[in-house]
Amino acid sequence: EESNLTLDEITLDARDVSTRAAAKSQIDFSCRVNEAGTVSARGDCCLTPLSANLSLDFKEIDVADFQPFLAGSMNATLASGSFSAAGTLTLSQGQESMATSFTGDSAIANFALKEKNTSADLLKWKQLRVAGMDVGTSPTSISIKDITLEQLFSNIVVNQDKTVNLT
């Protein structure tokens, strides 16, 4: 299955860009995704050593557009869903690895996963919100303040042989 991911209405404003060690640059980036959702990133970054402190905002990204990436891995289809997230992404290049962290909130609204052959509903919800996320890689950590799930429907079956109806 072929994927079509279209980015348009792209804007980038980069200021004080330099390869000098520890020189801070400011970036302001935004684009539209598949004629509906938007992505923006704004903040400071440094090329040497690589680091960034960015405010990220993803609004109404259609998760069904990413179905081709999952096509061979499960017997289900991402039929609908709208992903949004807002928070701060921090990157910092260390001696041996890149440390990353994200703090913020995210949501997937009007989600539907359907059985591939029959289009029967497997999993649906009105809204899944994850609030107060704090995820990091150095050290590896995850903290979530609140998870809210509204109007859940599930028809995922675990068979006697311990397989599920997604494979």
Side-chain angles (χ1 to χ4, degrees):
E1 198 172 334
E2 188 175 310
S3 173
N4 289 318
L5 186 62
T6 303
L7 304 179
D8 62 8
E9 298 183 12
I10 299 169
T11 62
L12 174 63
D13 181 14
R15 296 191 178 138
D16 302 322
V17 178
S18 175
T19 57
R20 286 190 328 250
K24 292 256 183 192
S25 305
Q26 292 79 44
I27 64 165
D28 187 350
F29 169 83
S30 65
C31 70
R32 190 171 65 158
V33 180
N34 287 351
E35 301 180 358
T38 60
V39 174
S40 68
R42 175 180 292 152
D44 298 328
C45 61
C46 181
L47 296 176
T48 310
L50 186 59
S51 66
N53 186 8
L54 303 172
S55 292
L56 300 180
D57 194 11
F58 296 80
K59 289 184 181 169
E60 299 180 7
I61 306 298
D62 187 354
V63 299
D65 293 337
F66 297 89
Q67 169 58 34
F69 297 103
L70 302 174
S73 62
M74 64 181 173
N75 189 29
T77 302
L78 283 173
S80 66
S82 177
F83 173 77
S84 297
T88 301
L89 175 68
T90 304
L91 308 170
S92 179
Q93 180 66 54
Q95 290 284 2
E96 298 185 21
S97 67
M98 174 73 73
T100 60
S101 68
F102 175 80
T103 57
D105 303 320
S106 68
I108 300 176
N110 303 313
F111 180 83
L113 183 69
K114 296 187 176 278
E115 200 278 329
K116 192 174 194 175
N117 297 323
T118 66
S119 295
D121 289 332
L122 291 173
L123 185 64
K124 292 173 34 173
W125 62 72
K126 181 178 180 179
Q127 180 90 337
L128 170 63
R129 281 189 299 266
V130 180
M133 273 190 295
D134 189 350
V135 180
T137 62
S138 188
T140 302
S141 62
I142 184 166
S143 171
I144 297 172
K145 183 177 180 183
D146 189 48
I147 299 173
T148 305
L149 182 58
E150 298 174 20
Q151 297 181 15
L152 172 66
F153 168 84
S154 176
N155 191 26
I156 297 175
V157 178
V158 179
N159 300 311
Q160 285 186 342
D161 64 0
K162 299 182 182 173
T163 60
V164 293
N165 59 334
L166 296 177
T167 56

